[in-house]
Amino acid sequence: MGNKKVPGDGFITGVGEVHGRPVYLFSHDALFLSGALSGANAKKVCKIMDEAAAVGAPLIGINDSGGARIQEGVDSLAGYADIFLRNTMFSGVIPQISLIMGSCAGGAVYSPAITDFTFMVENTSHMFVTGPDVVEAVGGGKVTKEELGGAHVHGSKSGVSAGSFANELVALAQMRRFLSYLPQSNRDKPPTVKTDDTRDRPIPGLSTVCPKDTTEGYDIRDVINPVVDMQSFFEIQPKYAKNIVCGLARMEGKTVAIIANQPKYNAGALDIDASVKAARLVRFADAFNIPVITFVDVPGFQPGVAQEFGGIIRHGAKLLYAYAEATVPKITCITRKAYGGAYDVMSSKHLRGDVNYAWPNAEIAVMGAAGACKLLYRRESADQMKERVKEYEAEFCTPKSAAVKGFIDAVIDPTETRKRICEDLERLSRKDVKNPWRKHGNIPL
């Protein structure tokens, strides 16, 4: 190795423009020693990271690396640690995006893990701490790269990937689109794009989107897509934790973050994966001055032994913490159900929600009528129970009580949702709220 000199030494770094705005990039060169990191190219990457933070511009890493360069020993490990440190120090300062364009192992996967979003390419991208050969050697069985760390695995099972694309050209094009939603740094507002999509656009379909049977599912995207600017919704982690929908969109050309329970999957109940998925986007949006719009249709937290053993209490608290901590404009609309602790967690007025709406048939209660009456009136007959359920629904399963107490700002016609939110965003654009001074909070990791 000592006599082998190659210009560039396996990494390419530089600065360019996307949509007329500066972007800093680094890329592995997998043709040289599989893109393995050396001490020299770690310094190149650190230099470009430092400049990106100083200037206030997004950083994109195009990753295709086998990890640390074995021949260099601790110098290579030190180089990775230097990169990890900068990923951490610049988190919440500039947007950091990782694009996996090949097989990445070892240290090459931890830098993407610290960045804000990691995107992959189907069938050619792989991420794993240890590869298939090591897994087999330690008795983990025979497994392929695709089975161990392919785009499908990280997009639908582990949640490591924010999304995947059919090929590299699509991935690069979508990265350009994704960047158009983001500010340059935490000192900037997100960009505004010109649009002819006005706040007064009629949306008659929202009046019938929720089935009359409250136990019947529907696709919450049928609410999101008509409310936001046409064709502006960029979904994040679409195949992971499908019981909640997360993404970026625009309202009158301005970027917003969307969090929405998905009744189509598991009735939209919050579980471990959904809580973590949503919490991460809320915190990203708060770090980069992006308002958060939340659509609520949630029967509660997912019950069950697996969820309790997996730590639903701790993981569910992450979403609660993220919403409570966020100081950006927060607008919430309850489309149908908001039961139990999940009502509190989903950007309620009690967590400093700025504007909280409910549709006329919304149900806000500790729990659903049938479940509540079974607990309260367990000794009564079936006929008596039916009457109790009707009484409970009339008394508690309406937005009226919450509205009277000021927990709901208005009960609105569904067709007014877009106009109301646009008006609120305009008014709240000057919102200035600061949390008490602290070194940092202690989110329940």
Side-chain angles (χ1 to χ4, degrees):
M1 276 301 298
N3 297 322
K4 190 171 184 177
K5 304 293 182 184
V6 178
D9 195 21
F11 269 58
I12 300 160
T13 62
V15 61
E17 288 189 351
V18 176
H19 305 301
R21 301 188 298 163
V23 173
Y24 286 79
L25 305 98
F26 68 85
S27 175
H28 302 89
D29 182 0
L31 296 178
F32 180 76
L33 294 178
S34 300
L37 185 86
S38 70
N41 54 41
K43 290 179 181 178
K44 288 179 64 176
V45 174
C46 290
K47 180 180 178 182
I48 212 77
M49 295 176 80
D50 289 338
E51 187 173 330
V55 169
L59 175 74
I60 298 177
I62 300 174
N63 299 272
D64 185 356
S65 170
R69 189 172 298 180
I70 297 172
Q71 298 90 331
E72 292 203 11
V74 72
D75 285 344
S76 180
L77 298 178
Y80 266 127
D82 291 338
I83 293 171
F84 300 158
L85 175 65
R86 285 162 175 80
N87 286 136
T88 304
M89 292 298 100
F90 303 151
S91 178
V93 178
I94 55 173
Q96 300 181 65
I97 303 171
S98 297
L99 186 56
I100 310 301
M101 301 283 267
S103 292
C104 294
V109 301
Y110 281 113
S111 175
I114 307 173
T115 60
D116 298 305
F117 301 98
T118 299
F119 294 97
M120 302 181 71
V121 179
E122 294 168 9
N123 302 315
T124 61
S125 292
H126 306 99
M127 297 176 72
F128 28 69
V129 176
T130 55
D133 293 340
V134 177
V135 171
E136 184 177 2
V138 298
K142 207 171 183 71
V143 63
T144 66
K145 289 197 296 184
E146 190 67 24
E147 293 168 338
L148 182 62
H152 173 73
V153 170
H154 290 308
S156 62
K157 296 182 179 179
S158 73
V160 169
S161 170
S164 61
F165 307 106
N167 57 59
E168 294 180 350
L169 291 177
V170 174
L172 293 170
Q174 288 300 309
M175 283 305 92
R176 291 174 58 85
R177 179 187 171 209
F178 187 66
L179 282 167
S180 72
Y181 292 88
L182 307 182
Q184 290 294 92
S185 74
N186 62 359
R187 302 190 297 269
D188 304 306
K189 293 284 188 181
T192 300
V193 302
K194 291 182 179 179
T195 179
D196 296 325
D197 198 357
T198 67
R199 65 182 62 177
D200 297 313
R201 168 168 53 83
I203 319 175
L206 290 185
S207 296
T208 56
V209 71
C210 291
K212 292 182 179 179
D213 182 354
T214 59
T215 63
E216 186 179 341
Y218 64 96
D219 193 340
I220 197 64
R221 296 182 190 87
D222 292 337
V223 174
I224 296 169
N225 286 320
V227 169
V228 302
D229 290 356
M230 298 300 290
Q231 298 181 329
S232 72
F233 185 50
F234 190 109
E235 189 169 352
I236 295 167
Q237 293 185 301
K239 299 176 183 177
Y240 179 72
K242 291 184 178 182
N243 43 327
I244 201 159
V245 173
C246 300
L248 299 178
R250 293 190 177 93
M251 298 289 284
E252 293 191 311
K254 296 179 176 64
T255 301
V256 295
I258 302 291
I259 310 289
N261 305 113
Q262 175 57 293
K264 188 177 178 181
Y265 294 96
N266 201 25
L270 286 174
D271 59 11
I272 291 171
D273 292 343
S275 299
V276 175
K277 172 182 172 179
R280 185 157 176 80
L281 182 59
V282 171
R283 300 198 87 207
F284 174 82
D286 189 47
F288 290 103
N289 311 308
I290 300 172
V292 178
I293 298 173
T294 305
F295 294 101
V296 181
D297 188 347
V298 61
F301 280 92
Q302 177 67 39
V305 173
Q307 289 292 308
E308 295 294 350
F309 287 5
I312 183 63
I313 296 171
R314 174 167 52 88
H315 294 295
K318 293 176 182 177
L319 183 54
L320 189 160
Y321 189 106
Y323 270 125
E325 182 185 47
T327 59
V328 293
K330 293 181 288 189
I331 301 169
T332 303
C333 181
I334 300 172
T335 61
R336 190 166 64 171
K337 295 191 293 287
Y339 290 164
Y343 154 72
D344 285 330
V345 169
M346 293 299 295
S347 196
S348 65
K349 182 66 73 177
H350 323 288
L351 299 185
R352 301 192 297 183
D354 293 296
V355 184
N356 293 71
Y357 294 123
W359 286 0
N361 294 325
E363 301 178 4
I364 305 169
V366 174
M367 60 194 309
C373 291
K374 282 181 182 178
L375 290 175
L376 295 171
Y377 310 110
R378 65 185 71 185
R379 292 183 176 87
E380 296 194 1
S381 67
D383 290 338
Q384 289 175 316
M385 186 68 74
K386 289 180 181 178
E387 289 303 313
R388 294 295 191 183
V389 168
K390 289 180 181 178
E391 292 172 6
Y392 186 96
E393 288 175 340
E395 180 68 23
F396 297 107
C397 293
T398 73
K400 183 176 73 172
S401 177
V404 168
K405 294 176 172 65
F407 303 152
I408 294 296
D409 293 296
V411 178
I412 64 171
D413 188 291
T415 61
E416 298 177 4
T417 306
R418 173 177 168 82
K419 182 178 179 180
R420 291 268 194 161
I421 292 175
C422 287
E423 292 171 347
D424 296 330
L425 288 171
E426 183 177 13
R427 186 180 68 256
L428 292 167
S429 63
R430 297 179 60 82
K431 178 185 176 183
D432 184 15
V433 174
K434 292 180 172 60
N435 290 326
W437 185 92
R438 55 187 171 181
K439 187 175 181 180
H440 60 73
N442 189 19
I443 188 170
L445 295 173

